[in-house]
Amino acid sequence: MARGVKWGCSYKRSTLIVCSINIVVALYVLRSLYASLYLYSNSDFNKVVKYTPDQVRKMEESIRIRRAKEPLELVKIVKELKEEFNRGEMVAGLPKEVTDRITDEILQRLRSLNANANISAIESWRKEKLQEVKLSVHGTGGLNSSILKQEAGMLERALESDWAVLSENIGLWVPAEIIHQEHNDKPEGEEDPEEEVLPGRPLSPECHAELHTDYGGVAVRWGLTHHKESAADCCQACLDQAKYAKPGEKKCNIWVYCPSETGCYSPDIYQHKNQECWLKHAEKPKLNFKDKYSDSFRDSHPIAPLIVPWVSGVVSA
C-alpha cells in the first residue's frame, strides 16, 4: 500500500505563522497612527504666531491707553442705576394686597387730619408700621399682627431703607429734602406751626386746595407748556386769568397742579411732568379722580399708581 504524502508544515506551525503576521500588521498600523499624530501636533505648533518685541510693546501701550480712557463716571452711574433698579424690583415684589393695605392705612391717617396734613403724620405712621413689621420678623408680633411673617422681611427693608422708592410706587409724593427729618426748635410754650406738604409759598384760602385730587373741565391753558414753581403760583395764575379774561372768553375756575418730581400720571397719551399747571373751566366742576385710583381702573391701566398725585382746587370765577 502506498504511503501518504507528508505535508511540509503542521497545523500548529501554521497557526503560529498567521499570528505572527497579524502582530506585525498591528504594530505597523499603530506606528503609522502615532507618526501622523506627531506630524499634526508639530504642524500646529509651527503655526503659533510669534510677535516681535516691538509688537508686544505696542499691544501693551494700546491696553494701557484703553484702560486710561474707560468712562469711570459712566460706569459708576450705571452701577448706581442697577442698584436703584434692584431696589425697585424688591419693592415691586411686594404682593398687591400688601401695597393696597399700606395705601389704605396712609389715606386713613391723612383723612383724620386737615387738608394741609403735615409730613410728620406720614413719618409717624412709617415708624409705627416699621416697629410692627420688626416685631413680626422676630416672631413677637402676636397673632393679631396684620403683617404675615413671610411678607415682613421685604416690607421691613422697603419701609426702612427704600421708603422713597415705596412711596413713589404707591403714588405718594413727599418732598425728598425733608424725609426722615424732625425739627423741634420752637420756643418753649409756643404752638407748632402747620407744615405745608406742598413746596413753595402757602396757599390762600380762596384756592380751596385738595390734595390727591384731579378735576375735569375745558382747558383754558394747557399745562404741558404752562409750568409754575408752586401750587400757590398755579392757583394765582387761575385767579389772574379769570380776572383779565376778555368778553366771551372762558374764565378759569379750576386749577390742577403736579407737585411730584417724577411727574404725574394721567390716562392720556401725554407724559405729564413736575410743575405742570392746568387752568380749566367747568360750569359744574366734576371730579376725575380723588384720593386713589380704583382697583377696576388700575386693572385696565396697569401703570397707574395707587394714589392720585395731582393737587387741585375750585375757585370762584
Side-chain angles (χ1 to χ4, degrees):
M1 189 174 181
R3 302 179 74 181
V5 180
K6 186 176 181 182
W7 295 94
C9 59
S10 66
Y11 174 78
K12 185 180 294 186
R13 183 177 297 176
S14 300
T15 303
L16 290 174
I17 293 172
V18 171
C19 290
S20 299
I21 294 173
N22 288 338
I23 291 172
V24 171
V25 171
L27 291 174
Y28 178 77
V29 171
L30 289 174
R31 181 181 179 282
S32 300
L33 291 175
Y34 176 78
S36 63
L37 180 62
Y38 174 77
L39 292 174
Y40 179 78
S41 60
N42 190 48
S43 63
D44 283 350
F45 177 77
N46 292 331
K47 290 180 181 178
V48 174
V49 179
K50 296 182 178 179
Y51 296 102
T52 64
D54 184 61
Q55 290 175 324
V56 173
R57 183 185 58 79
K58 289 182 178 180
M59 286 189 290
E60 291 176 349
E61 181 70 12
S62 175
I63 294 173
R64 186 188 64 78
I65 294 174
R66 187 164 58 249
R67 288 178 177 175
K69 295 295 183 180
E70 284 184 356
L72 299 179
E73 289 297 325
L74 180 60
V75 172
K76 182 179 179 182
I77 292 174
V78 171
K79 184 178 180 181
E80 292 175 353
L81 288 175
K82 285 183 178 180
E83 292 176 353
E84 184 176 349
F85 180 74
N86 291 334
R87 289 197 300 269
E89 279 189 336
M90 186 276 294
V91 173
L94 288 174
K96 183 176 181 296
E97 57 269 18
V98 175
T99 55
D100 287 345
R101 185 160 66 244
I102 291 174
T103 304
D104 291 337
E105 292 182 12
I106 292 176
L107 289 175
Q108 290 176 6
R109 181 64 63 91
L110 290 175
R111 290 194 187 102
S112 66
L113 305 171
N114 54 30
N116 293 324
N118 55 33
I119 297 172
S120 62
I122 302 297
E123 180 64 11
S124 175
W125 172 89
R126 188 189 70 83
K127 290 181 178 180
E128 293 173 5
K129 180 58 64 177
L130 182 59
Q131 182 66 24
E132 178 185 352
V133 170
K134 287 183 176 180
L135 292 176
S136 298
V137 169
H138 298 292
T140 58
L143 297 177
N144 295 326
S145 176
S146 62
I147 304 298
L148 298 177
K149 192 169 184 178
Q150 57 266 31
E151 302 167 355
M154 291 189 298
L155 189 54
E156 179 184 8
R157 291 192 297 272
L159 290 171
E160 191 166 26
S161 60
D162 297 321
W163 171 236
V165 179
L166 178 60
S167 300
E168 183 176 346
N169 189 52
I170 65 175
L172 176 65
W173 179 81
V174 179
E177 64 273 13
I178 55 177
I179 289 181
H180 307 313
Q181 294 183 11
E182 294 182 0
H183 302 280
N184 188 22
D185 52 356
K186 65 181 181 65
E188 187 175 358
E190 182 178 336
E191 294 183 358
D192 287 324
E194 289 189 349
E195 298 179 33
E196 299 290 338
V197 172
L198 299 174
R201 60 190 180 89
L203 287 153
S204 62
E206 60 183 336
C207 292
H208 304 290
E210 299 180 50
L211 301 177
H212 307 296
T213 305
D214 181 13
Y215 274 98
V218 178
V220 298
R221 188 68 187 271
W222 275 57
L224 295 176
T225 56
H226 184 235
H227 289 197
K228 292 296 180 181
E229 291 292 328
S230 65
D233 294 329
C234 183
C235 170
Q236 188 60 49
C238 181
L239 296 173
D240 293 341
Q241 193 277 341
K243 182 178 179 180
Y244 299 108
K246 298 178 181 179
E249 189 177 29
K250 292 185 181 297
K251 296 183 178 181
C252 175
N253 64 339
I254 299 171
W255 59 273
V256 181
Y257 183 73
C258 175
S260 175
E261 293 183 357
T262 58
C264 294
Y265 172 80
S266 185
D268 53 33
I269 63 174
Y270 304 107
Q271 184 177 2
H272 298 280
K273 299 181 179 180
N274 180 32
Q275 297 184 345
E276 279 191 17
C277 175
W278 289 78
L279 307 184
K280 302 181 180 181
H281 172 82
E283 295 294 336
K284 296 181 179 180
K286 183 179 179 181
L287 282 171
N288 284 336
F289 304 100
K290 179 72 174 177
D291 291 337
K292 72 173 185 175
Y293 298 103
S294 64
D295 292 338
S296 59
F297 179 83
R298 295 182 65 235
D299 289 339
S300 58
H301 300 78
I303 64 173
L306 296 177
I307 297 178
V308 178
W310 298 92
V311 179
S312 304
V314 178
V315 298
S316 299

